[in-house]
Amino acid sequence: MTDLTTWMCAVCGWLYDEAAGAPDHGLAPGTRWQDVPADWTCPECGAGKDAFEMVEI
């Protein structure tokens, strides 16, 4: 299994950790970024999925 990654919103800096998911925002723990729905938006600022960048933590 490939390591899970973390993605950061380039607009506001909110972090999405694939291992933790975002259960309060409809993403179960372990949900990979490619499996996040295309219409999902940042829970902090509303930016689209395309505003996120993979980051090293």
Side-chain angles (χ1 to χ4, degrees):
M1 180 176 198
T2 311
D3 290 337
L4 298 174
T5 57
T6 300
W7 294 78
M8 182 180 74
C9 178
V11 176
C12 73
W14 187 83
L15 295 174
Y16 173 68
D17 178 0
E18 290 180 342
D24 293 343
H25 306 290
L27 303 175
T31 302
R32 295 197 173 276
W33 188 246
Q34 66 262 24
D35 297 327
V36 172
D39 62 350
W40 184 84
T41 58
C42 176
E44 288 294 313
C45 72
K49 188 177 168 184
D50 60 345
F52 280 74
E53 302 170 350
M54 186 169 43
V55 294
E56 300 268 342
I57 299 294

Short mmCIF file of all heavy atoms in Angstrom, two decimals:
data_model
loop_
_atom_site.label_atom_id
_atom_site.label_comp_id
_atom_site.label_asym_id
_atom_site.label_seq_id
_atom_site.Cartn_x
_atom_site.Cartn_y
_atom_site.Cartn_z
N MET A 1 0.85 -1.19 0.00
CA MET A 1 0.00 0.00 0.00
C MET A 1 0.89 1.25 0.00
O MET A 1 1.87 1.35 0.72
CB MET A 1 -0.91 -0.02 1.23
CG MET A 1 -1.82 1.18 1.33
SD MET A 1 -2.92 1.00 2.76
CE MET A 1 -4.14 2.17 2.30
N THR A 2 0.51 2.19 -0.80
CA THR A 2 1.25 3.44 -0.90
C THR A 2 0.98 4.28 0.34
O THR A 2 -0.09 4.24 0.91
CB THR A 2 0.80 4.21 -2.15
OG1 THR A 2 0.80 3.33 -3.26
CG2 THR A 2 1.73 5.36 -2.44
N ASP A 3 1.98 5.06 0.73
CA ASP A 3 1.80 5.95 1.88
C ASP A 3 0.69 6.95 1.59
O ASP A 3 0.53 7.42 0.46
CB ASP A 3 3.09 6.71 2.16
CG ASP A 3 4.17 5.81 2.72
OD1 ASP A 3 3.84 4.75 3.28
OD2 ASP A 3 5.35 6.17 2.59
N LEU A 4 -0.06 7.26 2.62
CA LEU A 4 -1.10 8.28 2.50
C LEU A 4 -0.44 9.65 2.56
O LEU A 4 0.59 9.83 3.19
CB LEU A 4 -2.14 8.11 3.61
CG LEU A 4 -2.88 6.78 3.58
CD1 LEU A 4 -3.79 6.65 4.80
CD2 LEU A 4 -3.72 6.64 2.32
N THR A 5 -1.03 10.61 1.87
CA THR A 5 -0.42 11.94 1.77
C THR A 5 -1.30 13.01 2.41
O THR A 5 -2.44 12.76 2.79
CB THR A 5 -0.16 12.30 0.30
OG1 THR A 5 -1.40 12.23 -0.41
CG2 THR A 5 0.84 11.36 -0.34
N THR A 6 -0.75 14.21 2.47
CA THR A 6 -1.46 15.37 3.00
C THR A 6 -1.55 16.41 1.90
O THR A 6 -0.60 16.62 1.15
CB THR A 6 -0.72 15.95 4.23
OG1 THR A 6 -0.66 14.93 5.24
CG2 THR A 6 -1.45 17.16 4.79
N TRP A 7 -2.71 17.06 1.81
CA TRP A 7 -2.96 18.07 0.79
C TRP A 7 -3.32 19.37 1.48
O TRP A 7 -4.04 19.37 2.47
CB TRP A 7 -4.10 17.62 -0.12
CG TRP A 7 -3.73 16.41 -0.92
CD1 TRP A 7 -3.71 15.12 -0.48
CD2 TRP A 7 -3.30 16.38 -2.27
NE1 TRP A 7 -3.28 14.29 -1.48
CE2 TRP A 7 -3.03 15.04 -2.60
CE3 TRP A 7 -3.12 17.36 -3.24
CZ2 TRP A 7 -2.60 14.67 -3.86
CZ3 TRP A 7 -2.69 16.98 -4.49
CH2 TRP A 7 -2.43 15.63 -4.79
N MET A 8 -2.81 20.48 0.94
CA MET A 8 -3.06 21.79 1.55
C MET A 8 -3.79 22.69 0.55
O MET A 8 -3.43 22.76 -0.62
CB MET A 8 -1.74 22.45 1.95
CG MET A 8 -1.94 23.80 2.61
SD MET A 8 -0.38 24.60 3.08
CE MET A 8 0.21 25.12 1.49
N CYS A 9 -4.78 23.40 1.07
CA CYS A 9 -5.48 24.40 0.26
C CYS A 9 -4.54 25.58 0.05
O CYS A 9 -4.07 26.18 1.02
CB CYS A 9 -6.76 24.85 0.96
SG CYS A 9 -7.64 26.14 0.05
N ALA A 10 -4.25 25.91 -1.21
CA ALA A 10 -3.34 27.01 -1.53
C ALA A 10 -3.97 28.36 -1.21
O ALA A 10 -3.27 29.37 -1.12
CB ALA A 10 -2.93 26.94 -2.99
N VAL A 11 -5.28 28.40 -1.03
CA VAL A 11 -5.96 29.66 -0.74
C VAL A 11 -5.88 30.00 0.74
O VAL A 11 -5.48 31.10 1.12
CB VAL A 11 -7.43 29.61 -1.22
CG1 VAL A 11 -8.17 30.88 -0.84
CG2 VAL A 11 -7.49 29.37 -2.72
N CYS A 12 -6.24 29.03 1.62
CA CYS A 12 -6.32 29.34 3.05
C CYS A 12 -5.39 28.53 3.94
O CYS A 12 -5.25 28.81 5.12
CB CYS A 12 -7.76 29.19 3.54
SG CYS A 12 -8.30 27.46 3.68
N GLY A 13 -4.77 27.47 3.40
CA GLY A 13 -3.84 26.67 4.18
C GLY A 13 -4.47 25.51 4.93
O GLY A 13 -3.77 24.81 5.67
N TRP A 14 -5.78 25.25 4.76
CA TRP A 14 -6.42 24.11 5.42
C TRP A 14 -5.79 22.82 4.93
O TRP A 14 -5.50 22.67 3.75
CB TRP A 14 -7.92 24.12 5.12
CG TRP A 14 -8.70 23.11 5.89
CD1 TRP A 14 -9.16 23.22 7.16
CD2 TRP A 14 -9.13 21.82 5.43
NE1 TRP A 14 -9.85 22.08 7.52
CE2 TRP A 14 -9.84 21.20 6.48
CE3 TRP A 14 -8.97 21.12 4.23
CZ2 TRP A 14 -10.41 19.94 6.37
CZ3 TRP A 14 -9.53 19.86 4.12
CH2 TRP A 14 -10.24 19.27 5.18
N LEU A 15 -5.53 21.89 5.85
CA LEU A 15 -4.88 20.63 5.49
C LEU A 15 -5.86 19.47 5.45
O LEU A 15 -6.70 19.32 6.35
CB LEU A 15 -3.77 20.31 6.50
CG LEU A 15 -2.59 21.27 6.52
CD1 LEU A 15 -1.66 20.90 7.67
CD2 LEU A 15 -1.85 21.28 5.20
N TYR A 16 -5.72 18.64 4.41
CA TYR A 16 -6.47 17.39 4.33
C TYR A 16 -5.46 16.25 4.42
O TYR A 16 -4.60 16.10 3.55
CB TYR A 16 -7.26 17.27 3.02
CG TYR A 16 -7.88 15.90 2.88
CD1 TYR A 16 -8.89 15.52 3.75
CD2 TYR A 16 -7.42 14.98 1.95
CE1 TYR A 16 -9.44 14.25 3.68
CE2 TYR A 16 -7.97 13.71 1.87
CZ TYR A 16 -8.97 13.35 2.74
OH TYR A 16 -9.51 12.10 2.70
N ASP A 17 -5.55 15.48 5.47
CA ASP A 17 -4.68 14.32 5.70
C ASP A 17 -5.47 13.08 5.30
O ASP A 17 -6.51 12.79 5.88
CB ASP A 17 -4.31 14.28 7.19
CG ASP A 17 -3.45 13.09 7.56
OD1 ASP A 17 -3.12 12.27 6.68
OD2 ASP A 17 -3.10 12.98 8.75
N GLU A 18 -4.98 12.37 4.27
CA GLU A 18 -5.70 11.19 3.79
C GLU A 18 -5.92 10.16 4.90
O GLU A 18 -6.97 9.52 4.95
CB GLU A 18 -4.93 10.54 2.64
CG GLU A 18 -4.94 11.36 1.37
CD GLU A 18 -4.18 10.69 0.23
OE1 GLU A 18 -3.36 9.77 0.48
OE2 GLU A 18 -4.41 11.08 -0.91
N ALA A 19 -4.95 9.98 5.79
CA ALA A 19 -5.08 8.99 6.86
C ALA A 19 -6.22 9.34 7.81
O ALA A 19 -7.00 8.48 8.22
CB ALA A 19 -3.77 8.88 7.64
N ALA A 20 -6.35 10.62 8.14
CA ALA A 20 -7.38 11.06 9.08
C ALA A 20 -8.72 11.31 8.39
O ALA A 20 -9.78 11.23 9.02
CB ALA A 20 -6.93 12.34 9.79
N GLY A 21 -8.67 11.63 7.10
CA GLY A 21 -9.89 12.00 6.39
C GLY A 21 -10.43 13.31 6.93
O GLY A 21 -9.73 14.07 7.60
N ALA A 22 -11.68 13.56 6.62
CA ALA A 22 -12.37 14.75 7.15
C ALA A 22 -13.81 14.33 7.40
O ALA A 22 -14.72 14.73 6.67
CB ALA A 22 -12.28 15.91 6.17
N PRO A 23 -14.02 13.49 8.44
CA PRO A 23 -15.36 12.93 8.68
C PRO A 23 -16.46 13.98 8.80
O PRO A 23 -17.58 13.74 8.36
CB PRO A 23 -15.20 12.14 9.98
CG PRO A 23 -13.74 11.86 10.09
CD PRO A 23 -13.04 13.00 9.40
N ASP A 24 -16.14 15.14 9.37
CA ASP A 24 -17.14 16.19 9.51
C ASP A 24 -17.50 16.83 8.18
O ASP A 24 -18.44 17.60 8.09
CB ASP A 24 -16.65 17.29 10.47
CG ASP A 24 -16.51 16.79 11.89
OD1 ASP A 24 -17.09 15.72 12.22
OD2 ASP A 24 -15.82 17.46 12.69
N HIS A 25 -16.72 16.50 7.14
CA HIS A 25 -16.93 17.09 5.81
C HIS A 25 -17.16 16.02 4.76
O HIS A 25 -16.91 16.23 3.57
CB HIS A 25 -15.74 17.98 5.45
CG HIS A 25 -15.46 19.01 6.50
ND1 HIS A 25 -16.28 20.07 6.77
CD2 HIS A 25 -14.46 19.09 7.42
CE1 HIS A 25 -15.80 20.77 7.78
NE2 HIS A 25 -14.69 20.18 8.19
N GLY A 26 -17.59 14.82 5.19
CA GLY A 26 -17.99 13.76 4.28
C GLY A 26 -16.89 12.87 3.75
O GLY A 26 -17.12 12.09 2.83
N LEU A 27 -15.69 12.94 4.32
CA LEU A 27 -14.57 12.12 3.85
C LEU A 27 -14.09 11.20 4.96
O LEU A 27 -13.52 11.66 5.95
CB LEU A 27 -13.43 13.01 3.36
CG LEU A 27 -13.79 14.01 2.25
CD1 LEU A 27 -12.60 14.92 1.95
CD2 LEU A 27 -14.26 13.30 1.01
N ALA A 28 -14.30 9.91 4.77
CA ALA A 28 -13.92 8.92 5.78
C ALA A 28 -12.40 8.81 5.89
O ALA A 28 -11.68 9.08 4.93
CB ALA A 28 -14.49 7.56 5.41
N PRO A 29 -11.89 8.44 7.08
CA PRO A 29 -10.45 8.21 7.22
C PRO A 29 -9.96 7.23 6.16
O PRO A 29 -10.64 6.25 5.85
CB PRO A 29 -10.31 7.63 8.63
CG PRO A 29 -11.49 8.19 9.37
CD PRO A 29 -12.60 8.24 8.33
N GLY A 30 -8.80 7.51 5.59
CA GLY A 30 -8.24 6.64 4.56
C GLY A 30 -8.69 7.00 3.15
O GLY A 30 -8.26 6.34 2.20
N THR A 31 -9.52 8.03 3.00
CA THR A 31 -9.96 8.43 1.66
C THR A 31 -8.82 9.12 0.93
O THR A 31 -8.31 10.14 1.37
CB THR A 31 -11.17 9.40 1.74
OG1 THR A 31 -12.23 8.76 2.43
CG2 THR A 31 -11.64 9.79 0.34
N ARG A 32 -8.39 8.51 -0.18
CA ARG A 32 -7.30 9.07 -0.97
C ARG A 32 -7.80 10.29 -1.74
O ARG A 32 -8.97 10.40 -2.08
CB ARG A 32 -6.74 8.03 -1.93
CG ARG A 32 -6.09 6.89 -1.18
CD ARG A 32 -5.20 6.09 -2.10
NE ARG A 32 -4.45 5.10 -1.36
CZ ARG A 32 -3.30 5.35 -0.73
NH1 ARG A 32 -2.79 6.54 -0.75
NH2 ARG A 32 -2.67 4.39 -0.09
N TRP A 33 -6.88 11.21 -2.02
CA TRP A 33 -7.24 12.46 -2.69
C TRP A 33 -7.93 12.20 -4.03
O TRP A 33 -8.90 12.85 -4.38
CB TRP A 33 -6.00 13.33 -2.88
CG TRP A 33 -6.34 14.69 -3.39
CD1 TRP A 33 -6.02 15.21 -4.59
CD2 TRP A 33 -7.08 15.70 -2.70
NE1 TRP A 33 -6.50 16.48 -4.71
CE2 TRP A 33 -7.16 16.81 -3.55
CE3 TRP A 33 -7.69 15.78 -1.45
CZ2 TRP A 33 -7.82 17.99 -3.20
CZ3 TRP A 33 -8.33 16.95 -1.10
CH2 TRP A 33 -8.39 18.03 -1.97
N GLN A 34 -7.45 11.20 -4.78
CA GLN A 34 -8.06 10.92 -6.08
C GLN A 34 -9.49 10.40 -5.94
O GLN A 34 -10.26 10.45 -6.90
CB GLN A 34 -7.21 9.97 -6.93
CG GLN A 34 -7.09 8.57 -6.38
CD GLN A 34 -5.80 8.35 -5.60
OE1 GLN A 34 -5.20 9.31 -5.09
NE2 GLN A 34 -5.36 7.12 -5.51
N ASP A 35 -9.86 9.94 -4.74
CA ASP A 35 -11.21 9.44 -4.50
C ASP A 35 -12.14 10.51 -3.92
O ASP A 35 -13.34 10.26 -3.74
CB ASP A 35 -11.18 8.23 -3.56
CG ASP A 35 -10.41 7.07 -4.19
OD1 ASP A 35 -10.46 6.93 -5.42
OD2 ASP A 35 -9.75 6.33 -3.44
N VAL A 36 -11.61 11.69 -3.62
CA VAL A 36 -12.43 12.81 -3.14
C VAL A 36 -13.25 13.30 -4.33
O VAL A 36 -12.70 13.49 -5.42
CB VAL A 36 -11.53 13.94 -2.57
CG1 VAL A 36 -12.35 15.18 -2.25
CG2 VAL A 36 -10.79 13.45 -1.33
N PRO A 37 -14.56 13.48 -4.17
CA PRO A 37 -15.39 13.91 -5.29
C PRO A 37 -14.89 15.22 -5.92
O PRO A 37 -14.39 16.11 -5.23
CB PRO A 37 -16.77 14.13 -4.67
CG PRO A 37 -16.76 13.31 -3.41
CD PRO A 37 -15.33 13.30 -2.94
N ALA A 38 -15.01 15.32 -7.24
CA ALA A 38 -14.53 16.49 -7.98
C ALA A 38 -15.21 17.78 -7.54
O ALA A 38 -14.61 18.85 -7.63
CB ALA A 38 -14.72 16.27 -9.48
N ASP A 39 -16.44 17.68 -7.03
CA ASP A 39 -17.16 18.89 -6.63
C ASP A 39 -16.99 19.24 -5.15
O ASP A 39 -17.59 20.18 -4.65
CB ASP A 39 -18.65 18.76 -6.98
CG ASP A 39 -19.34 17.62 -6.24
OD1 ASP A 39 -18.65 16.78 -5.61
OD2 ASP A 39 -20.58 17.54 -6.31
N TRP A 40 -16.12 18.50 -4.45
CA TRP A 40 -15.84 18.77 -3.05
C TRP A 40 -15.12 20.11 -2.95
O TRP A 40 -14.32 20.46 -3.81
CB TRP A 40 -14.98 17.64 -2.47
CG TRP A 40 -14.71 17.74 -1.02
CD1 TRP A 40 -15.51 17.31 0.00
CD2 TRP A 40 -13.54 18.29 -0.39
NE1 TRP A 40 -14.91 17.57 1.21
CE2 TRP A 40 -13.72 18.17 1.00
CE3 TRP A 40 -12.39 18.88 -0.88
CZ2 TRP A 40 -12.75 18.61 1.90
CZ3 TRP A 40 -11.44 19.32 0.02
CH2 TRP A 40 -11.63 19.18 1.40
N THR A 41 -15.40 20.88 -1.90
CA THR A 41 -14.73 22.17 -1.71
C THR A 41 -14.11 22.25 -0.32
O THR A 41 -14.54 21.55 0.61
CB THR A 41 -15.71 23.34 -1.90
OG1 THR A 41 -16.78 23.21 -0.97
CG2 THR A 41 -16.25 23.39 -3.32
N CYS A 42 -13.14 23.11 -0.18
CA CYS A 42 -12.46 23.32 1.09
C CYS A 42 -13.48 23.75 2.14
O CYS A 42 -14.24 24.69 1.91
CB CYS A 42 -11.39 24.40 0.92
SG CYS A 42 -10.55 24.82 2.47
N PRO A 43 -13.50 23.07 3.29
CA PRO A 43 -14.46 23.43 4.33
C PRO A 43 -14.19 24.79 4.98
O PRO A 43 -15.07 25.37 5.60
CB PRO A 43 -14.35 22.30 5.35
CG PRO A 43 -13.07 21.62 5.06
CD PRO A 43 -12.73 21.88 3.63
N GLU A 44 -12.99 25.32 4.83
CA GLU A 44 -12.65 26.60 5.43
C GLU A 44 -12.99 27.79 4.53
O GLU A 44 -13.53 28.78 4.98
CB GLU A 44 -11.16 26.66 5.79
CG GLU A 44 -10.79 25.81 6.96
CD GLU A 44 -11.41 26.27 8.27
OE1 GLU A 44 -11.36 27.47 8.57
OE2 GLU A 44 -11.96 25.42 8.99
N CYS A 45 -12.63 27.68 3.24
CA CYS A 45 -12.78 28.86 2.36
C CYS A 45 -13.64 28.61 1.13
O CYS A 45 -13.94 29.54 0.40
CB CYS A 45 -11.41 29.39 1.95
SG CYS A 45 -10.54 28.32 0.77
N GLY A 46 -14.01 27.34 0.87
CA GLY A 46 -14.86 27.04 -0.27
C GLY A 46 -14.12 26.90 -1.59
O GLY A 46 -14.75 26.75 -2.63
N ALA A 47 -12.79 26.91 -1.57
CA ALA A 47 -12.02 26.73 -2.80
C ALA A 47 -12.24 25.34 -3.36
O ALA A 47 -12.48 24.38 -2.62
CB ALA A 47 -10.53 26.96 -2.53
N GLY A 48 -12.13 25.21 -4.66
CA GLY A 48 -12.31 23.91 -5.31
C GLY A 48 -11.14 22.98 -5.07
O GLY A 48 -10.06 23.38 -4.63
N LYS A 49 -11.38 21.70 -5.39
CA LYS A 49 -10.36 20.68 -5.20
C LYS A 49 -9.07 21.01 -5.96
O LYS A 49 -7.98 20.66 -5.52
CB LYS A 49 -10.94 19.34 -5.68
CG LYS A 49 -10.10 18.15 -5.39
CD LYS A 49 -10.79 16.87 -5.83
CE LYS A 49 -9.79 15.71 -5.81
NZ LYS A 49 -10.36 14.49 -6.31
N ASP A 50 -9.18 21.73 -7.08
CA ASP A 50 -8.01 22.07 -7.87
C ASP A 50 -7.11 23.11 -7.19
O ASP A 50 -5.99 23.36 -7.65
CB ASP A 50 -8.41 22.55 -9.26
CG ASP A 50 -9.30 23.79 -9.24
OD1 ASP A 50 -9.84 24.13 -8.17
OD2 ASP A 50 -9.46 24.40 -10.31
N ALA A 51 -7.56 23.69 -6.09
CA ALA A 51 -6.75 24.67 -5.35
C ALA A 51 -5.83 23.98 -4.33
O ALA A 51 -5.07 24.67 -3.64
CB ALA A 51 -7.64 25.67 -4.64
N PHE A 52 -5.88 22.66 -4.24
CA PHE A 52 -5.07 21.94 -3.26
C PHE A 52 -3.78 21.43 -3.88
O PHE A 52 -3.74 21.07 -5.05
CB PHE A 52 -5.86 20.74 -2.70
CG PHE A 52 -6.86 21.14 -1.64
CD1 PHE A 52 -8.03 21.79 -1.98
CD2 PHE A 52 -6.63 20.85 -0.31
CE1 PHE A 52 -8.96 22.14 -1.02
CE2 PHE A 52 -7.54 21.21 0.68
CZ PHE A 52 -8.70 21.85 0.32
N GLU A 53 -2.72 21.40 -3.05
CA GLU A 53 -1.42 20.91 -3.46
C GLU A 53 -0.94 19.88 -2.44
O GLU A 53 -1.14 20.07 -1.24
CB GLU A 53 -0.42 22.07 -3.52
CG GLU A 53 -0.83 23.18 -4.46
CD GLU A 53 0.05 24.41 -4.33
OE1 GLU A 53 0.87 24.48 -3.38
OE2 GLU A 53 -0.09 25.30 -5.17
N MET A 54 -0.27 18.83 -2.92
CA MET A 54 0.29 17.84 -2.01
C MET A 54 1.46 18.48 -1.27
O MET A 54 2.26 19.19 -1.87
CB MET A 54 0.75 16.59 -2.76
CG MET A 54 1.20 15.50 -1.82
SD MET A 54 1.48 13.89 -2.59
CE MET A 54 2.33 14.28 -4.07
N VAL A 55 1.53 18.22 0.04
CA VAL A 55 2.62 18.78 0.85
C VAL A 55 3.31 17.69 1.65
O VAL A 55 2.72 16.67 1.96
CB VAL A 55 2.09 19.88 1.82
CG1 VAL A 55 1.59 21.09 1.05
CG2 VAL A 55 1.01 19.36 2.74
N GLU A 56 4.57 17.94 1.98
CA GLU A 56 5.34 17.06 2.85
C GLU A 56 5.19 17.55 4.27
O GLU A 56 5.40 18.74 4.54
CB GLU A 56 6.81 17.08 2.45
CG GLU A 56 7.08 16.62 1.04
CD GLU A 56 7.38 15.15 0.94
OE1 GLU A 56 7.71 14.53 1.97
OE2 GLU A 56 7.26 14.62 -0.17
N ILE A 57 4.80 16.67 5.16
CA ILE A 57 4.61 17.07 6.56
C ILE A 57 5.73 16.43 7.39
O ILE A 57 6.03 15.29 7.25
CB ILE A 57 3.23 16.62 7.10
CG1 ILE A 57 2.12 17.27 6.30
CG2 ILE A 57 3.12 16.94 8.59
CD1 ILE A 57 2.01 18.77 6.41
#
